[in-house]
Amino acid sequence: MQLADSMITSGMYRKVLVIGAETLSKITDYTDRTTCILFGDGAGAFLMERTEGQGSNLAALSGTQGDGGLHVYSSGLSSEMNGVPLQGDGRLVQNGREVYKWAVRLIPEQLPKLIANSGLQTEQIDWFVPHSANMRMIEAVCERGPVPLERTLTSMEYRGNTSAASIPLAIQLAVDEGKVKQGQRLALFGFGGGLTYAGLVLEWSVPDTDSMK
């Protein structure tokens, strides 16, 4: 979405379709009960379009911690990482404890920076939408702040951990329930293999369909 916003703002494109899709069932190790119960397949998309006036994307950030890549990866692509032999034969390998510790530390550090970069105060963020990894992790993140659990949108309780699809799925569920409304500010924060992370603050705006005819 950050890249799409740049492409639209540059004037090169008017509409960009951003898709997040996963078929994790293809690489899930069903003999590993610590991971196979977590993951699900899913897909979601945002259509981003040029409008007059101020853009809807208010701030963005991204980063990576490459030395943590050993904690979650798809095996069978390389025999080693950072000199460490890799296990598995094309299946997903995850050290859930280490990924949990990293995410619970990272998000409360980076989310306030993201919100500050948008020029907003924390109380002006209507909804926090993290990657729906697991509820215990999100509860721990929200306990550390800055956005409380009651202003947090998730999808894993209905869809499981769908990785790249989890944020758009959470927003769609909230739109269907009437929670997300025109003009509200959302702070999105994704994280995962790599270890990588990215955040985005946006103002929710849906064009009037009559004006599009």
Side-chain angles (χ1 to χ4, degrees):
M1 293 179 71
Q2 181 180 355
L3 175 60
D5 180 66
S6 299
M7 296 167 71
I8 292 171
T9 302
S10 72
M12 294 180 64
Y13 301 95
R14 192 169 71 87
K15 296 182 180 181
V16 179
L17 188 65
V18 182
I19 299 173
E22 302 280 359
T23 50
L24 293 168
S25 58
K26 292 182 178 180
I27 60 171
T28 297
D29 181 359
Y30 289 99
T31 67
D32 179 6
R33 294 295 297 172
T34 64
T35 61
C36 70
I37 60 171
L38 302 174
F39 295 105
D41 296 345
F46 287 103
L47 175 62
M48 301 182 67
E49 182 176 10
R50 177 187 301 279
T51 58
E52 297 301 322
Q54 181 180 352
S56 295
N57 284 16
L58 306 181
L61 61 74
S62 60
T64 184
Q65 183 182 328
D67 58 357
L70 283 165
H71 299 318
V72 54
Y73 61 88
S74 178
S75 62
L77 303 176
S78 176
S79 60
E80 59 87 22
M81 185 187 303
N82 297 336
V84 178
L86 301 181
Q87 57 179 315
D89 56 351
R91 302 298 180 181
L92 182 68
V93 177
Q94 176 175 263
N95 184 333
R97 182 184 299 273
E98 292 301 321
V99 174
Y100 176 92
K101 287 164 54 179
W102 172 73
V104 168
R105 181 182 69 253
L106 171 83
I107 300 174
E109 290 176 352
Q110 297 297 324
L111 187 57
K113 298 177 184 177
L114 174 64
I115 295 172
N117 289 344
S118 72
L120 301 174
Q121 301 295 318
T122 301
E123 56 270 20
Q124 293 177 288
I125 298 296
D126 296 287
W127 297 106
F128 169 44
V129 195
H131 160 49
S132 275
N134 67 66
M135 201 65 215
R136 179 168 165 262
M137 178 186 291
I138 293 174
E139 288 172 350
V141 166
C142 291
E143 285 176 0
R144 291 161 174 79
V147 184
L149 186 62
E150 57 266 24
R151 291 187 2 235
T152 300
L153 303 177
T154 61
S155 61
M156 97 285 291
E157 57 266 59
Y158 304 107
R159 308 286 189 261
N161 181 343
T162 55
S163 289
S166 72
I167 287 177
L169 286 174
I171 294 176
Q172 185 62 60
L173 286 167
V175 169
D176 292 344
E177 294 172 2
K179 292 180 178 179
V180 175
K181 298 177 174 61
Q182 190 87 348
Q184 289 188 329
R185 282 75 172 261
L186 282 63
L188 284 51
F189 203 99
F191 58 92
L195 295 167
T196 59
Y197 64 90
L200 180 74
V201 174
L202 61 85
E203 183 173 301
W204 187 254
S205 177
V206 180
D208 183 353
T209 53
D210 291 334
S211 67
M212 299 171 63
K213 294 177 181 179

